[in-house]
Amino acid sequence: MSPERLPITVHRAKEIWFTRRTGDSISLVTFMDAALAVDAHGKITAIGRASEFKSPSYSEKVIDHGDGILVPGFVDAHVHCPQLSVIGSGGLPLLDWLTKYVFHAEAQFKNQNVATLGARRLARELMQNGVTSAAVFSSVHAVAAEALFQEFDTAGLRLLTGKTSMDVGAPAAVLQAAHADIADQEVLIKRWHGKSARLRYAITPRFALSCSRELMLGLGELRERHPSCYVQTHISENIEEVAAVKEVWKSCKDYLAVYEDHGLIGDKTLLAHGIHLTNNELMRMATAKATLVHCPTSNMFLGSGLLNLKQVQDSGVHLCLASDIGAGTNLSPWQTMLECYKIQAIQGNRLSAAELLYQTTLAGAQSLGLGNVCGSLEVGKDADFVVIKPSKKPILAERLVTAETPSERLFACITCGDDRIIEQTYVAGNLIYSQAAPT
Ligand code: GUN
Ligand code: ZN
């Protein structure tokens, strides 16, 4: 924080939108002709109609965002840094796609320079899309995780990451023996986990097919030594994958049990995809308070399947959204929300704009252990927010002329929005991206 920063900054905007959850019900909280006050520590001290704010005093700096709308910073709860370069590699289902495109791209991240530039590029793209917190996969190489921490720290983003653990089932260039993997992770955890409030470590087995029993056991022990660390991995994304896991992990009763049996499932565990989980697995996830990270653009691109979101919610599993680049096709949370909507709509489940925004803001923050810190614009939370300017996209500006309610306007943004309407991105009151003056 710069020393010259004034004690209170008041952000004025045409509207403010964020979500609140009461029981099972998600509502959109809206203010017109709105203002958000942020103190010198980046915390929200007041929010409401600008006319109800006390008149600015000498200690207040007012930033007028004109026709801008403030929404909470978005959360991307599952994105692969080394896969930015393989987005749109089409034509194959999951396991063949990994073999043909992904492992080769990830092998490049052994090189420090590639890893640094890749991490910088991802940070830049996320900020430009209004993402303020992300759970990121790197490659198997410690330098790649190191580069992510360094670059995201410099950018001012919130980050959950770790080196990807894999010792079987892929070319040697992306494998590392169990003992060396665990040793590297001990160093990374010591150096980065909680170094600042924005940085946390996640133990990251790629998936059940890329870890030997020895490595899984080592990861479980690592988690036991570091219970405040997170766990992120993939589960039940693709039918062939599920069948292969059943074959390889014969002693485990199902896919979830591979992780359960090694002590990797808990309330700090993020499981991506889960399209083909059984009811029983979902119930066990709910009991453990693990999160299911839904990656709609990825599921559609690889043809993995359609998540039954109602089944997930009925089982009580916490769910949030993510891009899953490079199987996912877009880093824009607008596009992730839209694809999520379509996948449910085709199954007869029509989600509201509020539910979609909730899943990519507050629900995401909760998954990353940040539910009390960000994800909505409540007094006492850190001011992680995005200034959106729908007027920057003519087709959207035109559509908004006839959209009568904030909810209709939000739905139009979800449908037509992209990075062009992201004007500024703030984390804890600090401006980390501005479209007007790209850094
Ligand atoms: N399962 C294991 N690795 C991956 C990956 O990189 N992307 C996706 N979508 N699924 C995976
Ligand atoms: Zn993934």
Side-chain angles (χ1 to χ4, degrees):
M1 184 183 315
S2 60
E4 72 274 10
R5 198 156 124 200
L6 295 168
I8 297 281
T9 303
V10 177
H11 294 268
R12 293 200 51 169
K14 192 174 174 202
E15 297 185 47
I16 295 181
W17 305 333
F18 63 94
T19 62
R20 221 173 249 160
R21 182 180 182 141
T22 318
D24 281 345
S25 146
I26 311 296
S27 55
L28 187 65
V29 182
T30 63
F31 296 101
M32 303 294 295
D33 178 25
L36 177 81
V38 182
D39 72 12
H41 303 289
K43 298 228 176 283
I44 299 171
T45 58
I47 182 165
R49 284 186 73 92
S51 56
E52 287 160 15
F53 268 50
K54 65 178 174 51
S55 60
S57 73
Y58 70 94
S59 61
E60 283 177 338
K61 173 181 166 190
V62 178
I63 300 176
D64 192 342
H65 296 290
D67 67 349
I69 299 168
L70 309 190
V71 298
F74 298 120
V75 179
D76 189 337
H78 184 99
V79 48
H80 295 256
C81 180
Q83 296 180 18
L84 269 177
S85 59
V86 295
I87 295 181
S89 301
L92 295 171
L94 174 66
L95 299 178
D96 299 329
W97 173 81
L98 287 173
T99 305
K100 177 147 189 213
Y101 302 112
V102 172
F103 294 143
H104 176 73
E106 295 196 6
Q108 313 311 310
F109 276 60
K110 180 183 182 169
N111 178 293
Q112 166 98 58
N113 201 35
V114 172
T116 298
L117 293 177
R120 195 172 298 165
R121 191 154 64 105
L122 179 67
R124 173 83 197 164
E125 291 282 340
L126 289 172
M127 296 187 288
Q128 187 173 323
N129 279 292
V131 175
T132 49
S133 306
V136 184
F137 274 57
S138 63
S139 67
V140 72
H141 315 98
V143 286
E146 182 79 36
L148 270 170
F149 277 119
Q150 229 135 31
E151 292 301 320
F152 276 55
D153 194 22
T154 304
L157 284 160
R158 298 188 198 273
L159 172 69
L160 180 65
T161 196
K163 79 181 278 309
T164 303
S165 295
M166 38 196 306
D167 68 341
V168 292
V174 287
L175 298 181
Q176 186 182 29
H179 58 93
D181 175 278
I182 303 296
D184 277 355
Q185 295 200 66
E186 289 283 7
V187 174
L188 286 165
I189 290 169
K190 197 161 177 204
R191 193 173 295 158
W192 291 106
H193 182 56
K195 178 173 182 258
S196 87
R198 291 186 284 99
L199 307 175
R200 305 211 186 160
Y201 193 84
I203 297 164
T204 308
R206 178 177 214 112
F207 67 155
L209 296 178
S210 59
C211 299
S212 67
R213 183 174 294 283
E214 184 196 356
L215 181 53
M216 281 291 189
L217 285 169
L219 296 175
E221 287 162 9
L222 185 67
R223 178 171 178 254
E224 230 173 271
R225 288 196 294 281
H226 301 281
S228 61
C229 285
Y230 282 68
V231 176
Q232 58 175 351
T233 187
H234 299 88
I235 195 166
S236 298
E237 173 179 3
N238 165 291
I239 296 285
E240 287 80 38
E241 172 209 11
V242 176
V245 169
K246 200 168 178 183
E247 195 57 34
V248 171
W249 291 92
K250 282 200 173 73
S251 62
C252 301
K253 71 173 176 185
D254 52 30
Y255 201 150
L256 184 66
V258 176
Y259 302 131
E260 275 175 339
D261 293 356
H262 296 88
L264 293 168
I265 299 294
D267 63 354
K268 296 189 186 72
T269 303
L270 283 75
L271 299 171
H273 305 295
I275 310 171
H276 306 290
L277 287 169
T278 62
N279 261 329
N280 187 270
E281 286 172 301
L282 285 169
M283 305 290 260
R284 278 149 49 211
M285 270 183 72
T287 305
K289 296 193 166 61
T291 293
L292 191 145
V293 184
H294 177 35
C295 309
T297 69
S298 164
N299 296 164
M300 295 304 278
F301 184 74
L302 293 181
S304 304
L306 305 178
L307 180 79
N308 183 336
L309 196 136
K310 192 158 179 332
Q311 181 195 13
V312 172
Q313 286 174 333
D314 286 350
S315 63
V317 171
H318 182 70
L319 177 135
C320 66
L321 292 183
S323 68
D324 192 30
I325 294 301
T329 51
N330 207 307
L331 276 169
S332 174
W334 303 118
Q335 294 305 299
T336 303
M337 286 186 264
L338 178 61
E339 207 72 357
C340 175
Y341 175 79
K342 293 183 198 167
I343 290 175
Q344 297 317 309
I346 206 153
Q347 299 176 77
N349 177 17
R350 286 166 210 284
L351 301 174
S352 68
E355 285 172 291
L356 294 162
L357 184 64
Y358 166 76
Q359 285 163 1
T360 199
T361 54
L362 188 51
Q366 285 162 349
S367 309
L368 272 60
L370 298 169
N372 293 323
V373 177
C374 55
S376 62
L377 302 177
E378 308 274 5
V379 170
K381 284 193 170 184
D382 283 8
D384 286 20
F385 65 95
V386 185
V387 182
I388 64 168
K389 289 252 168 120
S391 56
K392 286 277 174 84
K393 195 167 175 189
I395 198 169
L396 185 53
E398 205 172 305
R399 168 68 184 90
L400 291 188
V401 173
T402 54
E404 287 173 0
T405 63
S407 183
E408 283 177 37
R409 290 193 279 281
L410 173 56
F411 221 122
C413 289
I414 289 170
T415 309
C416 304
D418 55 33
D419 57 354
R420 270 180 286 176
I421 71 164
I422 305 295
E423 184 71 5
Q424 291 185 329
T425 305
Y426 288 81
V427 172
N430 290 316
L431 178 67
I432 62 164
Y433 165 78
S434 177
Q435 191 183 130
T439 49

